[in-house]
Amino acid sequence: MQQSRFKAPKCGRVHYNASGLRATVRTKGKPRKDNDLMPIQQRNYWLNTVDMPKGHAVGPLPERVDVAIIGAGFTGLSAARTLAKSGVRVAVLEGETIGWGASSRNGGMVLTGMKLGVNKLISMYGREKTREMYAASLKSIDCVEQIVREENIECDFSRSGHLEVACKQKHFDDYARQAEVIAREFNHQLRVVQKHELRSEIGSDIYFGGTVDEISAGVNPARYVAGLGCAAQRAGACVYEGTRVDSIERDSHNSSAGWQLRTPRGPLWSRDVMVATSGYTGRATPVLQRKIIPIGSYIIVTEVLQEALAHELSPRNRMIYDSKNYLYYYRLTPDRRMLFGGRAAFFPETGNSIRRSAEILRQGMIEVYPQLRGTKVEYVWGGTLDFAFDIMPHAGRIDGMYYALGYAGHGVAMATYLGQKVAEYILTGRDENPYARIPFPGAPLGMYNGNPWFLPLAGAYYKFLDWVS
Ligand SMILES: Cc1cc2nc3c(=O)[nH]c(=O)nc-3n(C[C@H](O)[C@H](O)[C@H](O)COP(=O)(O)OP(=O)(O)OC[C@H]3O[C@@H](n4cnc5c(N)ncnc54)[C@H](O)[C@@H]3O)c2cc1C
C-alpha cells in the first residue's frame, strides 16, 4: 500500500477546477457542519502525485508526418508509442496537455470485461464474437502490465482484483448465472461471494453478495498516462500540447497527399489520421461526434485513513463497483484514502455540477460505509466518459480515418489495448481487433448532432430502471 515517491502538491490550498485551473467557488461565510468535513479542493488528487511530462507547447508544427494522432490520453499515446517504435513519424496533437482528458482523472481501475454483461453481449453478437471480445478484454490487462514493465512506469500497478457488489437479490442471482457462462464459454473464473462471506471483501453490510475477478488491477492513472507520454516521446513520437485540431480535410484531387489538419499553430499534412478523443470528441470529427455521448463522472477522495480503518473497508484492496446503472465505484488509493466515484450528475462537468456531485457522492459513500461519516473529503473533480449508443468500445476506420473510442467507463485497459491494435492496423493493413467487426450505430432516427440534449431524460430513465429492476 506504500505509494512510491509521493510528491507534495504544488498548489498549496489554492482551489482548482477540474481542468486544473484556479477556481472561485470557495464556500463563503460560516461553514455548515457538513462543510467542515468537505474542505474540498476542486482538483484531481492524482495530479498531486506526478510530474506530467511536457510536450512541445510552442513553435511551428512540422510540415508533414506519417501519422497524426488527435488526443494525448491512453489511446493516443499507446498508439503513438507502438507506431514510433516501428520508425513511423508520429505527431500527437493535444488541445490541452498530456493526459488532460479522462486518462488522468479516472478511478485507476484496470478492469476485465465490458460495460454490458455477457448474457446481453451473447444475445447481441452471438457466442463466437463475444468470446473474441471477452478474450480481448483479458488481454488488455496484460497489455497494460507489459507496458508498465517494459517502460518501468512507477504507477502502483497491482493485480488486486475487482469486486462487483449486488444492490439487489436479483442482481446477485444474475452474478451466479454470469459466472457460470464466463467459465463455460470463455474459460475464465470469477468467484461468487455470498452475502455472509462479503465481510472478507468489503466493510459494508448493504449488499446482497458479489463477484470477484482476480485478474483486474489497480493503477495510479495520472502516473500511468505520464509514463505512457514519456515512453511515446522516448520512442520518437512528438507530442504537441496546446494544439487543438479545428478541422481535418482530405485532399480530394490527390489522395496520396493525405490529410490536412488545421490548428491554431498552422496546418499539418499527414498520410494517416487517428482520432483518440474519447469523451472530448468534437466538431473536428463530426462523423464520430454524432456517435459518441459525453457523460460526466465525478470522484471524491478523502483524507488519509488510519491503517485499521482502511483494512476494514477494503481488506483485499479491491477495485469495487456496484450493480446499478447509476453506479458507484470506489477503491483505496495507494496512500490509503478512500476514492469514491459515480455518475452523480448526468452531464459534462462544470464548477456547479462538480460541487453538487461532491455532496451527492459523500452521501453515497456514507450509505456504503457509515464508518466514514466523520472523515474529511479533501478532493473532488469530474471528467467526461464516452458512451456509444450500443455501450460498446469501437475501433477501426471511418471515412478513411482510424479511431478507437466508446469505452463507457472501462477505458484504462481497453484504451491502451485498442490504441496499440489500431497502430498495428496502420502498420500492417490487417485489422485484428474484434471490435472492428461489430456495427457502430448512431442515434436512433439520427436525432443527435453531438449535443446531448436527452441526457437529463436518460438520467431520469436510468434512475427509474435502478428503482424497478
Ligand atoms: C471520472 C472518471 C472515472 C473513470 N474511471 C475509470 C476506471 O476506474 N476504469 C476504467 O477503465 N475507466 C475509467 N474511466 C474511463 C477512462 O478514463 C477513459 O475511457 C480513458 O481514459 C479514455 O482514454 P482516451 O485516451 O481515449 O481519452 P482521453 O484521456 O479523454 O483523451 C482525449 C484527449 O483528446 C483531446 N482532444 C479532444 N479533441 C481534440 C482536438 N480537436 N484537438 C486536439 N486534442 C483534442 C482532449 O483534450 C483529451 O486530452 C473513467 C473516466 C472518468 C471521466
Side-chain angles (χ1 to χ4, degrees):
M1 291 265 291
Q2 280 265 309
Q3 178 146 339
S4 49
R5 285 198 308 132
F6 189 88
K7 206 179 128 296
K10 277 186 188 153
C11 55
R13 301 297 303 162
V14 174
H15 287 219
Y16 285 77
N17 67 22
S19 315
L21 304 171
R22 279 166 198 263
T24 54
V25 286
R26 196 183 289 217
T27 313
K28 284 196 180 141
K30 201 166 178 247
R32 286 188 297 123
K33 215 173 169 201
D34 267 4
N35 280 354
D36 292 342
L37 297 174
M38 299 227 292
I40 290 182
Q41 301 182 57
Q42 289 205 24
R43 177 164 169 78
N44 175 348
Y45 154 79
W46 297 118
L47 291 181
N48 287 345
T49 68
V50 67
D51 279 323
M52 277 290 173
K54 298 270 172 283
H56 304 269
V58 288
L61 298 179
E63 201 175 300
R64 168 172 282 279
V65 292
D66 297 324
V67 182
I69 297 174
I70 311 172
F74 298 142
T75 307
L77 294 171
S78 167
R81 171 181 173 271
T82 303
L83 288 165
K85 276 182 186 269
S86 293
V88 172
R89 279 180 310 154
V90 186
V92 182
L93 306 174
E94 167 55 56
E96 304 287 338
T97 50
I98 290 176
W100 176 90
S103 295
S104 66
R105 302 168 188 235
N106 61 72
M109 304 189 176
V110 190
L111 302 173
T112 58
M114 282 150 277
K115 176 77 182 158
L116 298 176
V118 288
N119 289 331
K120 175 86 181 155
L121 291 171
I122 290 173
S123 74
M124 284 164 73
Y125 303 112
R127 284 197 152 60
E128 198 43 48
K129 275 204 186 105
T130 304
R131 193 172 290 141
E132 286 173 16
M133 291 191 286
Y134 199 87
S137 91
L138 299 179
K139 281 190 208 148
S140 71
I141 318 283
D142 295 340
C143 173
V144 173
E145 185 169 38
Q146 196 185 351
I147 292 175
V148 166
R149 285 233 178 94
E150 274 179 24
E151 305 290 351
N152 286 319
I153 304 177
E154 287 185 37
C155 58
D156 302 296
F157 179 90
S158 144
R159 293 263 189 174
S160 44
H162 84 240
L163 168 70
E164 182 174 354
V165 278
C167 297
K168 295 186 179 176
Q169 182 60 43
K170 56 184 165 186
H171 298 175
F172 179 68
D173 297 341
D174 194 43
Y175 286 174
R177 284 193 290 270
Q178 300 232 18
E180 204 251 312
V181 172
I182 289 170
R184 191 182 63 234
E185 300 290 337
F186 314 140
N187 196 23
H188 181 65
Q189 303 301 322
L190 302 183
R191 187 161 56 81
V192 176
V193 185
Q194 301 290 333
K195 185 173 174 60
H196 69 270
E197 303 165 321
L198 212 49
R199 272 277 167 171
S200 66
E201 289 288 342
I202 181 173
S204 173
D205 295 319
I206 68 169
Y207 297 112
F208 289 77
T211 45
V212 169
D213 190 334
E214 302 280 356
I215 297 303
S216 293
V219 75
N220 173 328
R223 285 184 172 199
Y224 175 50
V225 75
L228 260 184
C230 291
Q233 293 187 89
R234 256 196 321 268
C238 290
V239 182
Y240 297 94
E241 294 182 313
T243 309
R244 181 154 302 279
V245 175
D246 294 324
S247 67
I248 308 171
E249 240 173 76
R250 194 169 210 169
D251 187 331
S252 51
H253 304 298
N254 175 11
S255 61
S256 62
W259 302 83
Q260 190 188 44
L261 293 88
R262 291 217 177 83
T263 82
R265 288 169 75 172
L268 169 78
W269 283 93
S270 179
R271 186 194 68 212
D272 289 310
V273 169
M274 174 174 175
V275 184
T277 48
S278 194
Y280 300 88
T281 301
R283 274 181 306 209
T285 53
V287 62
L288 288 169
Q289 190 186 21
R290 282 196 295 272
K291 287 180 183 278
I292 290 295
I293 313 163
I295 290 182
S297 187
Y298 301 84
I299 290 178
I300 54 174
V301 167
T302 67
E303 62 187 315
V304 174
L305 306 177
Q306 295 291 329
E307 209 167 327
L309 176 58
H311 186 263
E312 179 192 333
L313 302 180
S314 183
R316 296 175 200 236
N317 202 15
R318 303 285 193 210
M319 307 293 117
I320 306 175
Y321 57 92
D322 71 33
S323 59
K324 297 193 300 294
N325 290 297
Y326 237 80
L327 57 77
Y328 291 134
Y329 51 92
Y330 45 98
R331 60 171 287 185
L332 295 171
T333 61
D335 68 340
R336 261 195 351 254
R337 299 163 187 270
M338 175 55 65
L339 176 154
F340 196 91
R343 218 154 292 148
F346 220 83
F347 31 77
E349 82 272 12
T350 63
N352 270 344
S353 61
I354 292 172
R355 179 86 212 166
R356 269 186 30 224
S357 296
E359 283 156 13
I360 294 169
L361 287 174
R362 182 170 166 267
Q363 282 311 315
M365 180 177 79
I366 293 169
E367 276 163 31
V368 176
Y369 291 126
Q371 304 93 311
L372 293 178
R373 187 172 294 283
T375 302
K376 283 184 183 151
V377 172
E378 291 190 342
Y379 297 87
V380 60
W381 69 94
T384 307
L385 300 170
D386 53 334
F387 276 67
F389 282 87
D390 57 359
I391 319 187
M392 289 297 289
H394 293 276
R397 223 170 165 188
I398 193 164
D399 287 357
M401 293 177 296
Y402 296 90
Y403 68 91
L405 33 60
Y407 306 114
H410 264 55
V412 176
M414 195 52 84
T416 309
Y417 178 76
L418 289 182
Q420 197 178 82
K421 286 286 143 200
V422 171
E424 286 165 10
Y425 181 20
I426 295 172
L427 288 169
T428 63
R430 282 194 313 278
D431 193 357
E432 283 168 0
N433 111 68
Y435 301 95
R437 292 189 281 282
I438 60 172
F440 190 174
L445 309 172
M447 287 168 63
Y448 177 56
N449 62 2
N451 169 28
W453 53 268
F454 46 80
L455 281 190
L457 297 176
Y461 173 67
Y462 281 115
K463 278 197 169 149
F464 174 72
L465 276 190
D466 282 334
W467 185 51
V468 295
S469 62

